[in-house]
Amino acid sequence: MDTSSSSSASAAAPSAVTFYDFLDRMRNPASLDLVRSIKSFIVSFSFNNANPENDGKRVQEFFTTMESAIKDHPLWANATIEAIESAMEGLEKYVMTKLFSRTFASTSEDVKIDQEISEKICLLQTFLRPEHLDIPTFLQNEASWLLAEKELQKINALKAPREKVLCIMNCCRIINNLLLNASISENVELGGADDFLPVLIYIIIKANPPQLHSNIKFIQLYRRQAMLVSEAAYYFTNLVSAKTFILDLNAKSLSMEETEFEKSMQAARLANKVTLIEESTTSNGIKTLGEQGHPERHDVTRIEASAMSNDRKSLEEQRRVGPSQRIYGNNTITSGGYGYPFMEAEASQLTTGDVEKLLSVYKDVVRKYTNLCRAVRHVSVPMTVAPIPHFEGNNSSFKQPATKTSTSTDSKREE
């Protein structure tokens, strides 16, 4: 754990030093010819229509040309190979940061694939477990997995190809360290792609990094080809394989019955659909309640959403049997009603396996409470609504509080 954190920090520091050293040299009056070449390329590139394959070739050719120019430039006279590489890393970051909006996810097809992968991962997150990918128990380390997820989720916040590659490498190094530690502790031989890839796939599904396809394509096209070698190439190739596996994933790809897979996917789709309907209904309901119109027009939508929600809960209960149900049966943990199965549970009955479900229930409660508060703030209570009856003292009979409306009515009757 400490090793992965320190490697991440040490990788980021040289990157920053390299880039700022490059900028300092470009501010030198002697580098005016290089600056003109760089700016000219950026401007001419920006005016052309997006064509990823051609754009990638143009950028790679420009990097090759600039590498030769830098080697022959007086500012880098007698420079070491490492100094030249540092300059090229700085150049790559500068150019691709300037051209990021023009080159990243530049086609509608890329956007479509990104959305397709993200939506499929959202469905898989509801039911996929490590055993479905044949990940052995001794490799199921939640702490290490969480670190790997966080590294991978950083990829979309960065613009330089090298920095995106570093995110991938940091994620994969954590997985690799996990395999090495497990092989020592369990006295088994691990570390091959057959052990590495399933863990990477599961971490990608848990992390669901935004625009995964576009990030991979961006690296393929605009990372200098000479640098995609060795360890970086191995980890990047595994990420590409994992993305392809997820995109084509079906029941045959998993240790799972086809009927169970289809049922789980159907339940996940229904859950997503209900969420969208509930959000739409809440929005429409707030607008309707704030008007003097007819709120009953939305009753059908609310009834349909409620029915679909009940169907979803029924499907999920049939599909997912939590750890607490397997241990304690249906008489304790699952005795709570209305989709909140832990209402009557004791703390001693809960297991670590219940944490995920508890978190899901908590988020559901907070979301519904927030929506209710928003709706209440927009509701204007009519003056004709009858006052709420209340108890007075220990008397069990209801008593209506006196109001100005009732007083005026009585006086009219007396007249």
Side-chain angles (χ1 to χ4, degrees):
M1 188 182 300
D2 296 337
T3 305
S4 60
S5 301
S6 60
S7 65
S8 176
S10 61
S15 176
V17 172
T18 297
F19 183 60
Y20 288 115
D21 179 68
F22 170 78
L23 292 181
D24 286 340
R25 294 204 183 208
M26 288 299 105
R27 294 188 185 102
N28 191 311
S31 67
L32 183 61
D33 54 336
L34 296 178
V35 173
R36 285 176 177 170
S37 298
I38 295 169
K39 289 188 174 181
S40 175
F41 174 78
I42 292 173
V43 171
S44 63
F45 189 95
S46 301
F47 277 113
N48 294 328
N49 294 327
N51 185 326
E53 299 303 325
N54 290 340
D55 290 345
K57 291 179 181 178
R58 284 189 63 190
V59 169
Q60 294 296 336
E61 289 173 358
F62 174 72
F63 286 153
T64 302
T65 302
M66 288 300 298
E67 185 173 6
S68 299
I70 288 174
K71 286 179 179 178
D72 297 335
H73 199 275
L75 285 176
W76 280 271
N78 301 319
T80 62
I81 296 176
E82 289 76 13
I84 300 296
E85 284 300 325
S86 295
M88 290 305 300
E89 294 289 12
L91 175 66
E92 180 189 274
K93 180 174 181 176
Y94 180 82
V95 171
M96 295 316 304
T97 300
K98 293 290 186 182
L99 295 176
F100 185 78
S101 59
R102 163 69 174 72
T103 54
F104 185 81
S106 58
T107 67
S108 57
E109 183 182 0
D110 292 335
V111 175
K112 182 180 178 182
I113 296 175
D114 281 329
Q115 185 176 358
E116 183 181 348
I117 294 174
S118 181
E119 289 176 354
K120 188 165 187 179
I121 289 178
C122 284
L123 298 179
L124 293 171
Q125 283 178 334
T126 63
F127 67 90
L128 193 72
R129 298 292 177 265
E131 52 267 25
H132 295 145
L133 293 167
D134 297 324
I135 299 175
T137 306
F138 58 83
L139 289 181
Q140 297 179 23
N141 188 316
E142 290 291 342
S144 295
W145 287 358
L146 183 60
L147 286 174
E149 290 168 35
K150 289 185 178 296
E151 288 296 332
L152 195 58
Q153 287 169 340
K154 295 176 185 176
I155 190 172
N156 206 52
L158 302 169
K159 295 183 178 181
R162 178 177 181 268
E163 292 174 352
K164 290 181 181 291
V165 172
L166 284 176
C167 289
I168 297 169
M169 292 180 68
N170 289 335
C171 169
C172 292
R173 282 169 178 166
I174 293 171
I175 299 173
N176 197 48
N177 288 339
L178 173 62
L179 295 177
L180 292 175
N181 293 334
S183 65
I184 295 172
S185 61
E186 298 294 326
N187 196 23
V188 292
E189 194 170 332
L190 297 172
D194 292 339
D195 302 304
F196 180 88
L197 189 57
V199 178
L200 178 60
I201 292 169
Y202 188 69
I203 285 173
I204 292 173
I205 291 173
K206 290 195 55 147
N208 195 6
Q211 297 178 287
L212 179 62
H213 167 76
S214 291
N215 277 291
I216 288 175
K217 188 172 182 179
F218 185 77
I219 293 170
Q220 288 174 324
L221 292 175
Y222 304 113
R223 177 60 173 151
R224 289 188 300 135
Q225 298 302 309
M227 303 307 294
L228 269 180
V229 294
S230 188
E231 183 186 22
Y234 173 74
Y235 289 147
F236 183 70
T237 301
N238 274 276
L239 183 71
V240 174
S241 300
K243 183 210 80 170
T244 304
F245 178 89
I246 294 171
L247 198 57
D248 300 333
L249 187 146
N250 54 37
K252 295 179 180 178
S253 311
L254 306 170
S255 296
M256 193 175 191
E257 293 294 333
E258 186 169 358
T259 53
E260 183 185 357
F261 176 81
E262 293 300 332
K263 186 177 179 180
S264 299
M265 290 292 283
Q266 181 183 0
R269 291 190 189 99
L270 184 61
N272 285 352
K273 189 174 182 181
V274 168
T275 301
L276 292 174
I277 290 177
E278 286 177 347
E279 291 174 355
S280 175
T281 304
T282 302
S283 176
N284 292 335
I286 290 173
K287 292 179 182 178
T288 305
L289 288 169
E291 299 171 356
Q292 296 299 323
H294 302 281
E296 65 270 17
R297 293 176 182 174
H298 297 275
D299 287 349
V300 175
T301 307
R302 285 192 287 271
I303 292 170
E304 288 177 352
S306 177
M308 292 180 72
S309 180
N310 291 335
D311 290 343
R312 174 190 65 175
K313 290 174 183 176
S314 176
L315 281 170
E316 289 181 347
E317 287 300 325
Q318 294 175 15
R319 172 177 56 78
R320 294 181 63 186
V321 180
S324 57
Q325 290 173 304
R326 290 194 293 268
I327 297 174
Y328 301 105
N330 294 327
N331 296 324
T332 55
I333 303 297
T334 58
S335 58
Y338 302 100
Y340 302 104
F342 297 95
M343 284 294 294
E344 300 175 15
E346 298 294 336
S348 60
Q349 296 173 329
L350 301 179
T351 65
T352 55
D354 295 321
V355 173
E356 183 177 356
K357 193 170 184 180
L358 275 169
L359 179 61
S360 176
V361 171
Y362 168 76
K363 289 180 178 178
D364 184 51
V365 171
V366 172
R367 178 178 59 80
K368 290 181 178 178
Y369 173 76
T370 304
N371 289 340
L372 180 61
C373 289
R374 289 175 182 169
V376 169
R377 283 198 297 269
H378 289 77
V379 173
S380 55
V381 181
M383 294 300 293
T384 57
V385 175
I388 299 174
H390 68 281
F391 289 101
E392 186 174 87
N394 295 326
N395 190 355
S396 60
S397 61
F398 287 109
K399 181 179 179 180
Q400 295 284 355
T403 62
K404 292 182 180 180
T405 305
S406 61
T407 305
S408 60
T409 304
D410 293 340
S411 62
K412 286 181 180 179
R413 287 177 181 174
E414 289 176 0
E415 292 174 0

